[in-house]
Amino acid sequence: AAPMHKAVVAEGKRSEGPTEYGAKCLRASDGKYTVELFSDPPRELTVPHSMLWQWAVAPSLHPKRLAGESVRMHVGDRCVVAIWESRDSELDGVQVLPRMTGKISSRPSAMAGQVEPDPEYRSVAGARLFLKVSEIAGAQQLPAVGERVHFVLALNPERAD
């Protein structure tokens, strides 16, 4: 996934809110995670477990934020790191994008369809999930019905785009 770039703010103006960087987990131990930001140049950051959160859309299909013990980040997982550059790079939070697996259950088009998450992911992703091709790792188009896929939840399921 390409890093998310924010517009450059003219001198003298403060940008509102933290800057978000795509990142990947390199190491995990004792409740601390080392992530590499896809910034220019790339930089490594150690983040505490307390800053991790992720979206869940199950069981009600209304997105809610999970934090604390229900959030896990594994080596190789993608995440979005929010940093207040204006406050000496103070960490605002780390949205974990855990890779989940499932199989395609319907495919009305090459760009979108439904996935049936594997049982261990249903507490977060629900029994069926609408998926865009951009949420499937490395896919140019949606695989055939019945095929297995790796996917992540949308960055912001509250904003249905």
Side-chain angles (χ1 to χ4, degrees), residues 38-104:
F38 304 138
S39 53
D40 189 16
R43 56 183 175 170
E44 283 189 18
L45 200 64
T46 300
V47 298
H49 189 268
S50 61
M51 296 302 279
L52 302 186
W53 67 277
Q54 73 181 60
W55 287 110
V57 292
S60 64
L61 294 182
H62 288 295
K64 63 176 190 284
R65 281 171 170 243
L66 297 182
E69 281 310 300
S70 49
V71 181
R72 295 262 177 272
M73 184 157 63
H74 303 285
V75 172
D77 276 352
R78 297 289 175 124
C79 57
V80 177
V81 180
I83 295 174
W84 293 94
E85 300 292 4
S86 59
R87 299 186 200 158
D88 201 26
S89 297
E90 178 190 321
L91 192 61
D92 185 64
V94 178
Q95 178 183 0
V96 183
L97 301 173
R99 273 169 48 128
M100 303 184 210
T101 52
K103 66 175 193 280
I104 301 291

Short mmCIF file of all heavy atoms in Angstrom, two decimals, residues 38-104:
data_model
loop_
_atom_site.label_atom_id
_atom_site.label_comp_id
_atom_site.label_asym_id
_atom_site.label_seq_id
_atom_site.Cartn_x
_atom_site.Cartn_y
_atom_site.Cartn_z
N PHE A 38 6.45 4.13 6.36
CA PHE A 38 6.72 4.30 4.95
C PHE A 38 6.83 5.80 4.68
O PHE A 38 6.02 6.39 3.98
CB PHE A 38 5.60 3.70 4.09
CG PHE A 38 5.36 2.24 4.37
CD1 PHE A 38 4.06 1.75 4.45
CD2 PHE A 38 6.41 1.35 4.56
CE1 PHE A 38 3.82 0.40 4.69
CE2 PHE A 38 6.18 0.00 4.81
CZ PHE A 38 4.89 -0.47 4.88
N SER A 39 7.83 6.43 5.31
CA SER A 39 8.01 7.86 5.14
C SER A 39 9.27 8.04 4.31
O SER A 39 9.94 7.07 3.96
CB SER A 39 8.14 8.54 6.51
OG SER A 39 9.15 7.90 7.28
N ASP A 40 9.60 9.28 4.02
CA ASP A 40 10.79 9.55 3.23
C ASP A 40 11.70 10.47 4.04
O ASP A 40 11.38 11.63 4.21
CB ASP A 40 10.38 10.23 1.91
CG ASP A 40 11.55 10.33 0.94
OD1 ASP A 40 12.55 9.62 1.15
OD2 ASP A 40 11.45 11.13 0.00
N PRO A 41 12.82 9.98 4.60
CA PRO A 41 13.25 8.57 4.53
C PRO A 41 12.44 7.71 5.50
O PRO A 41 11.85 8.25 6.43
CB PRO A 41 14.72 8.66 4.98
CG PRO A 41 14.75 9.84 5.92
CD PRO A 41 13.72 10.82 5.40
N PRO A 42 12.44 6.38 5.31
CA PRO A 42 11.74 5.50 6.24
C PRO A 42 12.31 5.67 7.64
O PRO A 42 13.50 5.93 7.80
CB PRO A 42 12.04 4.09 5.71
CG PRO A 42 12.47 4.28 4.31
CD PRO A 42 13.11 5.63 4.24
N ARG A 43 11.45 5.56 8.65
CA ARG A 43 11.98 5.61 10.01
C ARG A 43 11.32 4.57 10.88
O ARG A 43 10.18 4.17 10.62
CB ARG A 43 11.86 7.00 10.62
CG ARG A 43 10.46 7.58 10.63
CD ARG A 43 10.47 9.00 11.20
NE ARG A 43 9.12 9.57 11.09
CZ ARG A 43 8.76 10.70 11.65
NH1 ARG A 43 9.59 11.39 12.36
NH2 ARG A 43 7.52 11.14 11.52
N GLU A 44 12.07 4.12 11.87
CA GLU A 44 11.55 3.12 12.80
C GLU A 44 11.08 3.81 14.06
O GLU A 44 11.63 4.82 14.48
CB GLU A 44 12.64 2.10 13.16
CG GLU A 44 12.86 1.09 12.07
CD GLU A 44 13.77 -0.06 12.51
OE1 GLU A 44 13.96 -0.26 13.74
OE2 GLU A 44 14.28 -0.75 11.62
N LEU A 45 10.05 3.23 14.66
CA LEU A 45 9.44 3.80 15.84
C LEU A 45 9.03 2.65 16.72
O LEU A 45 8.55 1.62 16.23
CB LEU A 45 8.18 4.56 15.37
CG LEU A 45 7.57 5.62 16.24
CD1 LEU A 45 8.56 6.78 16.43
CD2 LEU A 45 6.30 6.13 15.57
N THR A 46 9.20 2.82 18.03
CA THR A 46 8.71 1.81 18.97
C THR A 46 7.42 2.34 19.58
O THR A 46 7.39 3.47 20.06
CB THR A 46 9.74 1.52 20.07
OG1 THR A 46 10.93 1.06 19.43
CG2 THR A 46 9.24 0.45 21.02
N VAL A 47 6.36 1.54 19.51
CA VAL A 47 5.07 1.99 20.02
C VAL A 47 4.59 1.03 21.10
O VAL A 47 4.77 -0.18 20.98
CB VAL A 47 4.03 2.12 18.89
CG1 VAL A 47 4.48 3.15 17.87
CG2 VAL A 47 3.75 0.80 18.22
N PRO A 48 3.99 1.56 22.17
CA PRO A 48 3.46 0.70 23.23
C PRO A 48 2.10 0.11 22.83
O PRO A 48 1.37 0.71 22.04
CB PRO A 48 3.31 1.65 24.42
CG PRO A 48 3.08 2.99 23.80
CD PRO A 48 3.83 2.99 22.49
N HIS A 49 1.79 -1.03 23.41
CA HIS A 49 0.51 -1.70 23.14
C HIS A 49 -0.68 -0.77 23.41
O HIS A 49 -1.70 -0.84 22.73
CB HIS A 49 0.40 -2.97 23.97
CG HIS A 49 -0.76 -3.82 23.58
ND1 HIS A 49 -2.00 -3.71 24.18
CD2 HIS A 49 -0.90 -4.78 22.63
CE1 HIS A 49 -2.84 -4.57 23.61
NE2 HIS A 49 -2.21 -5.21 22.67
N SER A 50 -0.53 0.11 24.39
CA SER A 50 -1.64 0.99 24.78
C SER A 50 -2.07 1.94 23.66
O SER A 50 -3.17 2.49 23.70
CB SER A 50 -1.26 1.80 26.02
OG SER A 50 -0.13 2.61 25.71
N MET A 51 -1.20 2.15 22.65
CA MET A 51 -1.54 3.06 21.56
C MET A 51 -2.23 2.35 20.40
O MET A 51 -2.64 2.98 19.43
CB MET A 51 -0.28 3.76 21.03
CG MET A 51 0.40 4.66 22.04
SD MET A 51 -0.67 5.98 22.68
CE MET A 51 -0.55 7.19 21.37
N LEU A 52 -2.33 1.02 20.45
CA LEU A 52 -2.91 0.27 19.34
C LEU A 52 -4.43 0.31 19.39
O LEU A 52 -5.03 0.24 20.45
CB LEU A 52 -2.48 -1.20 19.37
CG LEU A 52 -0.99 -1.53 19.34
CD1 LEU A 52 -0.82 -3.04 19.23
CD2 LEU A 52 -0.27 -0.83 18.22
N TRP A 53 -5.05 0.37 18.22
CA TRP A 53 -6.50 0.21 18.12
C TRP A 53 -6.81 -0.34 16.74
O TRP A 53 -5.98 -0.32 15.85
CB TRP A 53 -7.23 1.53 18.38
CG TRP A 53 -7.01 2.58 17.34
CD1 TRP A 53 -5.96 3.44 17.26
CD2 TRP A 53 -7.85 2.87 16.22
NE1 TRP A 53 -6.10 4.25 16.16
CE2 TRP A 53 -7.24 3.93 15.51
CE3 TRP A 53 -9.05 2.32 15.75
CZ2 TRP A 53 -7.81 4.46 14.34
CZ3 TRP A 53 -9.62 2.86 14.60
CH2 TRP A 53 -9.00 3.91 13.91
N GLN A 54 -8.00 -0.88 16.60
CA GLN A 54 -8.43 -1.33 15.28
C GLN A 54 -9.94 -1.26 15.21
O GLN A 54 -10.63 -1.20 16.23
CB GLN A 54 -7.97 -2.77 14.99
CG GLN A 54 -8.73 -3.82 15.77
CD GLN A 54 -8.22 -5.22 15.47
OE1 GLN A 54 -7.07 -5.54 15.70
NE2 GLN A 54 -9.11 -6.07 14.99
N TRP A 55 -10.46 -1.23 13.99
CA TRP A 55 -11.90 -1.27 13.80
C TRP A 55 -12.40 -2.70 13.91
O TRP A 55 -11.72 -3.63 13.50
CB TRP A 55 -12.28 -0.75 12.41
CG TRP A 55 -12.13 0.72 12.23
CD1 TRP A 55 -11.20 1.36 11.46
CD2 TRP A 55 -12.94 1.74 12.81
NE1 TRP A 55 -11.39 2.72 11.54
CE2 TRP A 55 -12.44 2.98 12.35
CE3 TRP A 55 -14.04 1.73 13.68
CZ2 TRP A 55 -13.01 4.20 12.74
CZ3 TRP A 55 -14.60 2.93 14.06
CH2 TRP A 55 -14.09 4.15 13.59
N ALA A 56 -13.60 -2.83 14.41
CA ALA A 56 -14.33 -4.09 14.31
C ALA A 56 -15.70 -3.75 13.77
O ALA A 56 -16.26 -2.72 14.12
CB ALA A 56 -14.46 -4.76 15.68
N VAL A 57 -16.24 -4.62 12.92
CA VAL A 57 -17.59 -4.35 12.40
C VAL A 57 -18.59 -5.39 12.87
O VAL A 57 -19.76 -5.31 12.59
CB VAL A 57 -17.61 -4.29 10.85
CG1 VAL A 57 -16.86 -3.05 10.37
CG2 VAL A 57 -17.03 -5.53 10.23
N ALA A 58 -18.12 -6.39 13.61
CA ALA A 58 -19.03 -7.40 14.15
C ALA A 58 -19.35 -7.05 15.60
O ALA A 58 -18.58 -6.36 16.25
CB ALA A 58 -18.36 -8.77 14.08
N PRO A 59 -20.43 -7.55 16.17
CA PRO A 59 -21.44 -8.36 15.50
C PRO A 59 -22.54 -7.51 14.86
O PRO A 59 -23.34 -8.01 14.09
CB PRO A 59 -22.02 -9.19 16.64
CG PRO A 59 -21.87 -8.30 17.84
CD PRO A 59 -20.61 -7.50 17.62
N SER A 60 -22.57 -6.20 15.14
CA SER A 60 -23.72 -5.39 14.75
C SER A 60 -23.56 -4.78 13.36
O SER A 60 -24.49 -4.19 12.84
CB SER A 60 -23.87 -4.24 15.74
OG SER A 60 -22.73 -3.41 15.64
N LEU A 61 -22.37 -4.88 12.77
CA LEU A 61 -22.03 -4.21 11.51
C LEU A 61 -21.91 -2.70 11.67
O LEU A 61 -21.70 -1.99 10.71
CB LEU A 61 -23.01 -4.56 10.37
CG LEU A 61 -22.94 -6.03 9.95
CD1 LEU A 61 -23.86 -6.30 8.79
CD2 LEU A 61 -21.51 -6.42 9.56
N HIS A 62 -22.05 -2.21 12.92
CA HIS A 62 -21.72 -0.80 13.16
C HIS A 62 -20.27 -0.77 13.60
O HIS A 62 -19.92 -1.41 14.59
CB HIS A 62 -22.62 -0.20 14.23
CG HIS A 62 -24.01 0.01 13.75
ND1 HIS A 62 -24.32 0.90 12.74
CD2 HIS A 62 -25.18 -0.57 14.11
CE1 HIS A 62 -25.62 0.86 12.51
NE2 HIS A 62 -26.17 -0.02 13.32
N PRO A 63 -19.42 -0.05 12.89
CA PRO A 63 -18.01 -0.05 13.25
C PRO A 63 -17.79 0.46 14.67
O PRO A 63 -18.43 1.41 15.11
CB PRO A 63 -17.37 0.93 12.25
CG PRO A 63 -18.34 1.01 11.13
CD PRO A 63 -19.69 0.79 11.72
N LYS A 64 -16.90 -0.19 15.38
CA LYS A 64 -16.49 0.33 16.68
C LYS A 64 -15.00 0.12 16.83
O LYS A 64 -14.42 -0.75 16.21
CB LYS A 64 -17.27 -0.33 17.82
CG LYS A 64 -17.05 -1.82 17.98
CD LYS A 64 -17.80 -2.32 19.21
CE LYS A 64 -17.43 -3.75 19.57
NZ LYS A 64 -18.03 -4.75 18.70
N ARG A 65 -14.40 0.96 17.65
CA ARG A 65 -12.97 0.87 17.87
C ARG A 65 -12.69 -0.15 18.95
O ARG A 65 -13.29 -0.11 20.02
CB ARG A 65 -12.41 2.21 18.34
CG ARG A 65 -12.21 3.22 17.24
CD ARG A 65 -11.87 4.56 17.87
NE ARG A 65 -11.44 5.50 16.86
CZ ARG A 65 -10.21 6.03 16.81
NH1 ARG A 65 -9.31 5.71 17.72
NH2 ARG A 65 -9.89 6.88 15.87
N LEU A 66 -11.77 -1.05 18.68
CA LEU A 66 -11.28 -1.98 19.70
C LEU A 66 -9.93 -1.46 20.18
O LEU A 66 -9.14 -0.96 19.39
CB LEU A 66 -11.06 -3.37 19.12
CG LEU A 66 -12.25 -4.13 18.57
CD1 LEU A 66 -11.78 -5.51 18.10
CD2 LEU A 66 -13.31 -4.30 19.65
N ALA A 67 -9.68 -1.63 21.48
CA ALA A 67 -8.37 -1.27 22.02
C ALA A 67 -8.04 -2.26 23.12
O ALA A 67 -8.83 -3.14 23.44
CB ALA A 67 -8.40 0.17 22.55
N GLY A 68 -6.85 -2.11 23.70
CA GLY A 68 -6.48 -2.97 24.82
C GLY A 68 -6.22 -4.40 24.40
O GLY A 68 -5.69 -4.66 23.32
N GLU A 69 -6.64 -5.33 25.25
CA GLU A 69 -6.28 -6.73 25.05
C GLU A 69 -6.86 -7.35 23.78
O GLU A 69 -6.35 -8.35 23.29
CB GLU A 69 -6.75 -7.57 26.26
CG GLU A 69 -5.83 -7.46 27.45
CD GLU A 69 -4.36 -7.70 27.07
OE1 GLU A 69 -4.03 -8.80 26.58
OE2 GLU A 69 -3.54 -6.80 27.28
N SER A 70 -7.94 -6.77 23.27
CA SER A 70 -8.57 -7.38 22.08
C SER A 70 -7.81 -7.05 20.80
O SER A 70 -8.14 -7.55 19.75
CB SER A 70 -10.03 -6.95 21.98
OG SER A 70 -10.13 -5.56 22.11
N VAL A 71 -6.81 -6.18 20.89
CA VAL A 71 -6.03 -5.82 19.70
C VAL A 71 -4.68 -6.51 19.75
O VAL A 71 -4.00 -6.47 20.77
CB VAL A 71 -5.82 -4.29 19.61
CG1 VAL A 71 -5.03 -3.94 18.36
CG2 VAL A 71 -7.15 -3.58 19.61
N ARG A 72 -4.30 -7.13 18.65
CA ARG A 72 -3.00 -7.78 18.55
C ARG A 72 -2.34 -7.29 17.26
O ARG A 72 -3.01 -7.13 16.25
CB ARG A 72 -3.16 -9.29 18.42
CG ARG A 72 -3.76 -9.95 19.64
CD ARG A 72 -2.67 -10.54 20.52
NE ARG A 72 -3.22 -11.11 21.73
CZ ARG A 72 -3.42 -10.42 22.84
NH1 ARG A 72 -3.15 -9.15 22.89
NH2 ARG A 72 -3.91 -11.01 23.91
N MET A 73 -1.03 -7.09 17.34
CA MET A 73 -0.32 -6.78 16.10
C MET A 73 0.80 -7.79 15.97
O MET A 73 1.51 -8.08 16.91
CB MET A 73 0.24 -5.35 16.11
CG MET A 73 0.91 -4.99 14.78
SD MET A 73 1.03 -3.21 14.43
CE MET A 73 2.06 -2.62 15.75
N HIS A 74 0.91 -8.38 14.78
CA HIS A 74 1.92 -9.41 14.53
C HIS A 74 2.95 -8.87 13.55
O HIS A 74 2.67 -7.96 12.77
CB HIS A 74 1.26 -10.67 13.96
CG HIS A 74 0.20 -11.22 14.85
ND1 HIS A 74 0.47 -11.90 16.01
CD2 HIS A 74 -1.16 -11.14 14.77
CE1 HIS A 74 -0.67 -12.24 16.60
NE2 HIS A 74 -1.67 -11.79 15.88
N VAL A 75 4.13 -9.46 13.60
CA VAL A 75 5.18 -9.07 12.66
C VAL A 75 4.64 -9.23 11.24
O VAL A 75 4.02 -10.23 10.90
CB VAL A 75 6.44 -9.94 12.88
CG1 VAL A 75 7.46 -9.68 11.78
CG2 VAL A 75 7.04 -9.65 14.25
N GLY A 76 4.84 -8.19 10.43
CA GLY A 76 4.35 -8.21 9.05
C GLY A 76 3.02 -7.51 8.87
O GLY A 76 2.65 -7.17 7.75
N ASP A 77 2.28 -7.29 9.98
CA ASP A 77 0.99 -6.59 9.87
C ASP A 77 1.22 -5.15 9.43
O ASP A 77 2.18 -4.50 9.82
CB ASP A 77 0.25 -6.57 11.21
CG ASP A 77 -0.55 -7.84 11.46
OD1 ASP A 77 -0.65 -8.67 10.54
OD2 ASP A 77 -1.06 -7.99 12.59
N ARG A 78 0.28 -4.65 8.65
CA ARG A 78 0.29 -3.24 8.27
C ARG A 78 -0.44 -2.45 9.36
O ARG A 78 -1.31 -2.98 10.06
CB ARG A 78 -0.45 -3.04 6.94
CG ARG A 78 0.19 -3.74 5.77
CD ARG A 78 1.47 -3.03 5.42
NE ARG A 78 2.19 -3.75 4.37
CZ ARG A 78 2.54 -3.19 3.22
NH1 ARG A 78 2.20 -1.95 2.96
NH2 ARG A 78 3.23 -3.87 2.34
N CYS A 79 -0.10 -1.17 9.44
CA CYS A 79 -0.79 -0.30 10.38
C CYS A 79 -0.70 1.13 9.86
O CYS A 79 -0.01 1.40 8.89
CB CYS A 79 -0.19 -0.42 11.79
SG CYS A 79 1.57 -0.07 11.89
N VAL A 80 -1.44 2.02 10.50
CA VAL A 80 -1.39 3.44 10.17
C VAL A 80 -1.00 4.15 11.46
O VAL A 80 -1.69 4.03 12.48
CB VAL A 80 -2.75 3.96 9.67
CG1 VAL A 80 -2.68 5.47 9.42
CG2 VAL A 80 -3.17 3.22 8.40
N VAL A 81 0.13 4.86 11.42
CA VAL A 81 0.66 5.54 12.61
C VAL A 81 0.34 7.02 12.49
O VAL A 81 0.68 7.65 11.49
CB VAL A 81 2.19 5.33 12.70
CG1 VAL A 81 2.74 6.04 13.93
CG2 VAL A 81 2.52 3.83 12.75
N ALA A 82 -0.34 7.55 13.50
CA ALA A 82 -0.70 8.98 13.50
C ALA A 82 0.24 9.71 14.47
O ALA A 82 0.34 9.36 15.64
CB ALA A 82 -2.16 9.16 13.94
N ILE A 83 0.91 10.72 13.94
CA ILE A 83 1.92 11.45 14.72
C ILE A 83 1.63 12.95 14.65
O ILE A 83 1.35 13.48 13.58
CB ILE A 83 3.33 11.19 14.13
CG1 ILE A 83 3.69 9.71 14.33
CG2 ILE A 83 4.38 12.08 14.79
CD1 ILE A 83 4.99 9.32 13.66
N TRP A 84 1.72 13.61 15.81
CA TRP A 84 1.60 15.07 15.86
C TRP A 84 2.98 15.65 15.59
O TRP A 84 3.78 15.80 16.50
CB TRP A 84 1.11 15.52 17.23
CG TRP A 84 -0.28 15.13 17.54
CD1 TRP A 84 -0.69 14.02 18.23
CD2 TRP A 84 -1.47 15.83 17.19
NE1 TRP A 84 -2.06 13.99 18.31
CE2 TRP A 84 -2.56 15.09 17.69
CE3 TRP A 84 -1.72 17.02 16.50
CZ2 TRP A 84 -3.88 15.50 17.51
CZ3 TRP A 84 -3.04 17.43 16.32
CH2 TRP A 84 -4.10 16.68 16.83
N GLU A 85 3.27 15.95 14.33
CA GLU A 85 4.59 16.52 14.00
C GLU A 85 4.77 17.86 14.70
O GLU A 85 5.88 18.24 15.06
CB GLU A 85 4.75 16.70 12.48
CG GLU A 85 4.65 15.41 11.69
CD GLU A 85 5.80 14.42 11.91
OE1 GLU A 85 6.70 14.67 12.74
OE2 GLU A 85 5.80 13.38 11.23
N SER A 86 3.66 18.57 14.92
CA SER A 86 3.74 19.89 15.55
C SER A 86 4.06 19.81 17.05
O SER A 86 4.36 20.80 17.68
CB SER A 86 2.43 20.65 15.35
OG SER A 86 1.36 19.91 15.90
N ARG A 87 3.94 18.61 17.63
CA ARG A 87 4.22 18.45 19.06
C ARG A 87 5.42 17.54 19.24
O ARG A 87 5.35 16.56 19.99
CB ARG A 87 3.02 17.83 19.78
CG ARG A 87 1.77 18.65 19.71
CD ARG A 87 0.72 17.98 20.59
NE ARG A 87 -0.61 18.42 20.22
CZ ARG A 87 -1.71 17.73 20.49
NH1 ARG A 87 -1.62 16.56 21.11
NH2 ARG A 87 -2.89 18.18 20.14
N ASP A 88 6.48 17.81 18.51
CA ASP A 88 7.71 17.05 18.68
C ASP A 88 7.48 15.56 18.42
O ASP A 88 7.94 14.70 19.18
CB ASP A 88 8.25 17.28 20.11
CG ASP A 88 9.74 16.96 20.19
OD1 ASP A 88 10.41 17.05 19.15
OD2 ASP A 88 10.19 16.60 21.28
N SER A 89 6.75 15.26 17.36
CA SER A 89 6.49 13.88 16.93
C SER A 89 5.80 13.02 18.00
O SER A 89 6.07 11.84 18.14
CB SER A 89 7.79 13.20 16.49
OG SER A 89 8.33 13.86 15.38
N GLU A 90 4.91 13.64 18.75
CA GLU A 90 4.14 12.90 19.76
C GLU A 90 3.19 11.92 19.05
O GLU A 90 2.53 12.27 18.08
CB GLU A 90 3.33 13.91 20.59
CG GLU A 90 2.44 13.28 21.64
CD GLU A 90 1.50 14.31 22.27
OE1 GLU A 90 1.94 15.46 22.49
OE2 GLU A 90 0.33 13.96 22.51
N LEU A 91 3.16 10.69 19.56
CA LEU A 91 2.33 9.65 18.96
C LEU A 91 0.86 9.85 19.33
O LEU A 91 0.55 10.06 20.50
CB LEU A 91 2.83 8.29 19.47
CG LEU A 91 2.30 7.04 18.79
CD1 LEU A 91 2.69 7.03 17.31
CD2 LEU A 91 2.88 5.82 19.48
N ASP A 92 -0.01 9.80 18.33
CA ASP A 92 -1.44 9.97 18.58
C ASP A 92 -2.14 8.61 18.68
O ASP A 92 -3.07 8.43 19.44
CB ASP A 92 -2.07 10.79 17.45
CG ASP A 92 -3.54 11.09 17.72
OD1 ASP A 92 -3.83 11.79 18.69
OD2 ASP A 92 -4.38 10.61 16.95
N GLY A 93 -1.70 7.65 17.89
CA GLY A 93 -2.32 6.33 17.93
C GLY A 93 -1.84 5.49 16.76
O GLY A 93 -1.26 6.01 15.81
N VAL A 94 -2.07 4.19 16.87
CA VAL A 94 -1.65 3.26 15.82
C VAL A 94 -2.84 2.37 15.47
O VAL A 94 -3.29 1.57 16.29
CB VAL A 94 -0.46 2.38 16.29
CG1 VAL A 94 -0.07 1.40 15.19
CG2 VAL A 94 0.73 3.25 16.68
N GLN A 95 -3.36 2.56 14.25
CA GLN A 95 -4.47 1.72 13.79
C GLN A 95 -3.89 0.47 13.16
O GLN A 95 -3.18 0.53 12.16
CB GLN A 95 -5.32 2.47 12.77
CG GLN A 95 -6.45 1.59 12.23
CD GLN A 95 -7.28 2.26 11.16
OE1 GLN A 95 -7.03 3.40 10.79
NE2 GLN A 95 -8.27 1.56 10.66
N VAL A 96 -4.18 -0.67 13.77
CA VAL A 96 -3.69 -1.95 13.25
C VAL A 96 -4.61 -2.40 12.12
O VAL A 96 -5.83 -2.30 12.22
CB VAL A 96 -3.65 -3.01 14.37
CG1 VAL A 96 -3.07 -4.31 13.85
CG2 VAL A 96 -2.82 -2.50 15.54
N LEU A 97 -4.00 -2.88 11.04
CA LEU A 97 -4.76 -3.43 9.91
C LEU A 97 -4.43 -4.92 9.83
O LEU A 97 -3.63 -5.33 8.98
CB LEU A 97 -4.37 -2.73 8.60
CG LEU A 97 -4.57 -1.21 8.57
CD1 LEU A 97 -3.99 -0.63 7.30
CD2 LEU A 97 -6.05 -0.88 8.68
N PRO A 98 -5.00 -5.72 10.74
CA PRO A 98 -4.61 -7.13 10.76
C PRO A 98 -5.01 -7.83 9.48
O PRO A 98 -6.10 -7.57 8.95
CB PRO A 98 -5.36 -7.70 11.97
CG PRO A 98 -6.45 -6.73 12.26
CD PRO A 98 -6.04 -5.41 11.71
N ARG A 99 -4.13 -8.67 8.98
CA ARG A 99 -4.46 -9.46 7.80
C ARG A 99 -5.35 -10.60 8.24
O ARG A 99 -5.04 -11.32 9.17
CB ARG A 99 -3.18 -10.02 7.18
CG ARG A 99 -2.57 -9.05 6.20
CD ARG A 99 -1.20 -9.46 5.78
NE ARG A 99 -1.09 -10.86 5.38
CZ ARG A 99 -0.57 -11.26 4.23
NH1 ARG A 99 -0.15 -10.37 3.36
NH2 ARG A 99 -0.46 -12.53 3.94
N MET A 100 -6.46 -10.74 7.56
CA MET A 100 -7.40 -11.82 7.86
C MET A 100 -7.52 -12.70 6.63
O MET A 100 -7.11 -12.30 5.53
CB MET A 100 -8.76 -11.23 8.23
CG MET A 100 -8.67 -10.27 9.40
SD MET A 100 -10.30 -9.69 9.89
CE MET A 100 -9.89 -8.08 10.49
N THR A 101 -8.07 -13.87 6.83
CA THR A 101 -8.27 -14.77 5.70
C THR A 101 -9.73 -15.17 5.63
O THR A 101 -10.45 -15.16 6.63
CB THR A 101 -7.39 -16.04 5.83
OG1 THR A 101 -7.61 -16.62 7.12
CG2 THR A 101 -5.91 -15.70 5.68
N GLY A 102 -10.14 -15.51 4.44
CA GLY A 102 -11.51 -15.94 4.23
C GLY A 102 -11.65 -16.42 2.79
O GLY A 102 -10.66 -16.59 2.09
N LYS A 103 -12.90 -16.63 2.39
CA LYS A 103 -13.09 -17.02 1.00
C LYS A 103 -14.18 -16.16 0.36
O LYS A 103 -15.11 -15.69 1.04
CB LYS A 103 -13.37 -18.51 0.86
CG LYS A 103 -14.67 -19.01 1.45
CD LYS A 103 -14.81 -20.51 1.10
CE LYS A 103 -16.19 -21.03 1.35
NZ LYS A 103 -16.48 -21.35 2.74
N ILE A 104 -14.04 -15.94 -0.93
CA ILE A 104 -14.99 -15.11 -1.67
C ILE A 104 -16.34 -15.84 -1.72
O ILE A 104 -16.40 -17.00 -2.11
CB ILE A 104 -14.47 -14.85 -3.10
CG1 ILE A 104 -13.10 -14.16 -3.08
CG2 ILE A 104 -15.49 -14.05 -3.91
CD1 ILE A 104 -13.09 -12.73 -2.59
#
